[in-house]
PDB file of all heavy atoms in Angstrom:
ATOM      1  N   SER M 403      66.714 112.464  78.096  1.00 91.00           N
ATOM      2  CA  SER M 403      67.022 112.533  76.657  1.00 91.00           C
ATOM      3  C   SER M 403      66.600 113.772  75.980  1.00 91.00           C
ATOM      4  O   SER M 403      66.920 114.034  74.842  1.00 91.00           O
ATOM      5  CB  SER M 403      66.271 111.306  75.936  1.00 91.00           C
ATOM      6  OG  SER M 403      64.882 111.467  76.023  1.00 91.00           O
ATOM      7  N   ILE M 404      65.911 114.603  76.699  1.00 91.00           N
ATOM      8  CA  ILE M 404      65.378 115.847  76.119  1.00 91.00           C
ATOM      9  C   ILE M 404      66.483 116.897  76.307  1.00 91.00           C
ATOM     10  O   ILE M 404      66.936 117.154  77.425  1.00 91.00           O
ATOM     11  CB  ILE M 404      64.128 116.328  76.814  1.00 91.00           C
ATOM     12  CG1 ILE M 404      62.996 115.261  76.607  1.00 91.00           C
ATOM     13  CG2 ILE M 404      63.662 117.712  76.234  1.00 91.00           C
ATOM     14  CD1 ILE M 404      61.722 115.565  77.382  1.00 91.00           C
ATOM     15  N   ARG M 405      66.993 117.475  75.232  1.00 90.00           N
ATOM     16  CA  ARG M 405      68.094 118.451  75.296  1.00 90.00           C
ATOM     17  C   ARG M 405      67.577 119.794  75.931  1.00 90.00           C
ATOM     18  O   ARG M 405      66.482 120.202  75.635  1.00 90.00           O
ATOM     19  CB  ARG M 405      68.631 118.769  73.879  1.00 90.00           C
ATOM     20  CG  ARG M 405      69.250 117.618  73.197  1.00 90.00           C
ATOM     21  CD  ARG M 405      69.712 118.022  71.791  1.00 90.00           C
ATOM     22  NE  ARG M 405      68.570 118.416  70.922  1.00 90.00           N
ATOM     23  CZ  ARG M 405      68.709 119.061  69.810  1.00 90.00           C
ATOM     24  NH1 ARG M 405      69.899 119.424  69.342  1.00 90.00           N
ATOM     25  NH2 ARG M 405      67.606 119.349  69.075  1.00 90.00           N
ATOM     26  N   LYS M 406      68.412 120.350  76.728  1.00 87.00           N
ATOM     27  CA  LYS M 406      68.153 121.665  77.294  1.00 87.00           C
ATOM     28  C   LYS M 406      68.827 122.690  76.403  1.00 87.00           C
ATOM     29  O   LYS M 406      70.017 123.024  76.622  1.00 87.00           O
ATOM     30  CB  LYS M 406      68.604 121.723  78.758  1.00 87.00           C
ATOM     31  CG  LYS M 406      67.901 120.789  79.685  1.00 87.00           C
ATOM     32  CD  LYS M 406      68.436 120.886  81.112  1.00 87.00           C
ATOM     33  CE  LYS M 406      67.624 120.004  82.038  1.00 87.00           C
ATOM     34  NZ  LYS M 406      67.646 118.590  81.721  1.00 87.00           N
ATOM     35  N   LEU M 407      68.158 123.173  75.441  1.00 86.00           N
ATOM     36  CA  LEU M 407      68.744 124.029  74.413  1.00 86.00           C
ATOM     37  C   LEU M 407      68.824 125.440  74.895  1.00 86.00           C
ATOM     38  O   LEU M 407      67.799 126.060  75.236  1.00 86.00           O
ATOM     39  CB  LEU M 407      67.889 123.987  73.124  1.00 86.00           C
ATOM     40  CG  LEU M 407      67.824 122.610  72.500  1.00 86.00           C
ATOM     41  CD1 LEU M 407      66.860 122.697  71.269  1.00 86.00           C
ATOM     42  CD2 LEU M 407      69.122 122.078  71.950  1.00 86.00           C
ATOM     43  N   PRO M 408      70.100 126.026  74.900  1.00 85.00           N
ATOM     44  CA  PRO M 408      70.238 127.457  75.208  1.00 85.00           C
ATOM     45  C   PRO M 408      69.701 128.233  74.001  1.00 85.00           C
ATOM     46  O   PRO M 408      69.538 127.698  72.897  1.00 85.00           O
ATOM     47  CB  PRO M 408      71.725 127.608  75.345  1.00 85.00           C
ATOM     48  CG  PRO M 408      72.347 126.497  74.599  1.00 85.00           C
ATOM     49  CD  PRO M 408      71.357 125.370  74.637  1.00 85.00           C
ATOM     50  N   PRO M 409      69.472 129.548  74.216  1.00 82.00           N
ATOM     51  CA  PRO M 409      68.992 130.357  73.069  1.00 82.00           C
ATOM     52  C   PRO M 409      70.022 130.319  71.947  1.00 82.00           C
ATOM     53  O   PRO M 409      71.186 130.315  72.170  1.00 82.00           O
ATOM     54  CB  PRO M 409      68.853 131.769  73.703  1.00 82.00           C
ATOM     55  CG  PRO M 409      68.728 131.551  75.157  1.00 82.00           C
ATOM     56  CD  PRO M 409      69.515 130.302  75.455  1.00 82.00           C
ATOM     57  N   SER M 410      69.489 130.300  70.703  1.00 75.00           N
ATOM     58  CA  SER M 410      70.357 130.208  69.579  1.00 75.00           C
ATOM     59  C   SER M 410      71.167 131.521  69.453  1.00 75.00           C
ATOM     60  O   SER M 410      70.740 132.633  69.634  1.00 75.00           O
ATOM     61  CB  SER M 410      69.532 130.014  68.317  1.00 75.00           C
ATOM     62  OG  SER M 410      70.341 130.195  67.145  1.00 75.00           O
ATOM     63  N   ALA M 411      72.466 131.332  69.118  1.00 64.00           N
ATOM     64  CA  ALA M 411      73.363 132.471  68.869  1.00 64.00           C
ATOM     65  C   ALA M 411      73.356 132.900  67.436  1.00 64.00           C
ATOM     66  O   ALA M 411      73.993 133.923  67.052  1.00 64.00           O
ATOM     67  CB  ALA M 411      74.750 132.096  69.324  1.00 64.00           C
ATOM     68  N   VAL M 412      72.735 132.177  66.531  1.00 68.00           N
ATOM     69  CA  VAL M 412      72.644 132.530  65.144  1.00 68.00           C
ATOM     70  C   VAL M 412      71.652 133.645  64.979  1.00 68.00           C
ATOM     71  O   VAL M 412      70.465 133.536  65.301  1.00 68.00           O
ATOM     72  CB  VAL M 412      72.261 131.319  64.256  1.00 68.00           C
ATOM     73  CG1 VAL M 412      72.124 131.775  62.794  1.00 68.00           C
ATOM     74  CG2 VAL M 412      73.319 130.228  64.372  1.00 68.00           C
ATOM     75  N   GLY M 413      72.047 134.792  64.427  1.00 64.00           N
ATOM     76  CA  GLY M 413      71.249 135.935  64.300  1.00 64.00           C
ATOM     77  C   GLY M 413      71.189 136.842  65.519  1.00 64.00           C
ATOM     78  O   GLY M 413      70.744 137.974  65.457  1.00 64.00           O
ATOM     79  N   ASP M 414      71.533 136.263  66.655  1.00 67.00           N
ATOM     80  CA  ASP M 414      71.499 137.003  67.885  1.00 67.00           C
ATOM     81  C   ASP M 414      72.735 136.660  68.750  1.00 67.00           C
ATOM     82  O   ASP M 414      72.686 135.870  69.616  1.00 67.00           O
ATOM     83  CB  ASP M 414      70.245 136.783  68.684  1.00 67.00           C
ATOM     84  CG  ASP M 414      70.068 137.671  69.848  1.00 67.00           C
ATOM     85  OD1 ASP M 414      70.967 138.571  70.045  1.00 67.00           O
ATOM     86  OD2 ASP M 414      69.120 137.567  70.654  1.00 67.00           O
ATOM     87  N   PRO M 415      73.972 137.219  68.330  1.00 62.00           N
ATOM     88  CA  PRO M 415      75.155 136.789  69.027  1.00 62.00           C
ATOM     89  C   PRO M 415      75.219 137.094  70.549  1.00 62.00           C
ATOM     90  O   PRO M 415      76.044 136.588  71.222  1.00 62.00           O
ATOM     91  CB  PRO M 415      76.286 137.562  68.273  1.00 62.00           C
ATOM     92  CG  PRO M 415      75.646 137.938  66.959  1.00 62.00           C
ATOM     93  CD  PRO M 415      74.220 138.116  67.239  1.00 62.00           C
ATOM     94  N   SER M 416      74.309 137.961  70.952  1.00 65.00           N
ATOM     95  CA  SER M 416      74.238 138.255  72.369  1.00 65.00           C
ATOM     96  C   SER M 416      73.943 137.068  73.254  1.00 65.00           C
ATOM     97  O   SER M 416      74.240 137.032  74.427  1.00 65.00           O
ATOM     98  CB  SER M 416      73.219 139.359  72.659  1.00 65.00           C
ATOM     99  OG  SER M 416      71.943 138.962  72.277  1.00 65.00           O
ATOM    100  N   ASN M 417      73.304 136.118  72.611  1.00 66.00           N
ATOM    101  CA  ASN M 417      72.985 134.855  73.305  1.00 66.00           C
ATOM    102  C   ASN M 417      74.287 134.022  73.593  1.00 66.00           C
ATOM    103  O   ASN M 417      74.238 133.053  74.384  1.00 66.00           O
ATOM    104  CB  ASN M 417      71.973 133.995  72.522  1.00 66.00           C
ATOM    105  CG  ASN M 417      70.607 134.635  72.520  1.00 66.00           C
ATOM    106  OD1 ASN M 417      70.271 135.420  73.400  1.00 66.00           O
ATOM    107  ND2 ASN M 417      69.874 134.400  71.440  1.00 66.00           N
ATOM    108  N   LEU M 418      75.373 134.331  72.916  1.00 67.00           N
ATOM    109  CA  LEU M 418      76.612 133.620  73.141  1.00 67.00           C
ATOM    110  C   LEU M 418      77.596 134.581  73.756  1.00 67.00           C
ATOM    111  O   LEU M 418      78.003 135.558  73.139  1.00 67.00           O
ATOM    112  CB  LEU M 418      77.177 133.063  71.796  1.00 67.00           C
ATOM    113  CG  LEU M 418      78.504 132.386  71.899  1.00 67.00           C
ATOM    114  CD1 LEU M 418      78.441 131.145  72.717  1.00 67.00           C
ATOM    115  CD2 LEU M 418      79.080 132.053  70.523  1.00 67.00           C
TER     116      LEU M 418
END
Side-chain angles (χ1 to χ4, degrees):
S403 68
I404 301 174
R405 296 177 297 165
K406 296 178 176 58
L407 298 175
S410 170
V412 176
D414 189 3
S416 61
N417 291 332
L418 176 65

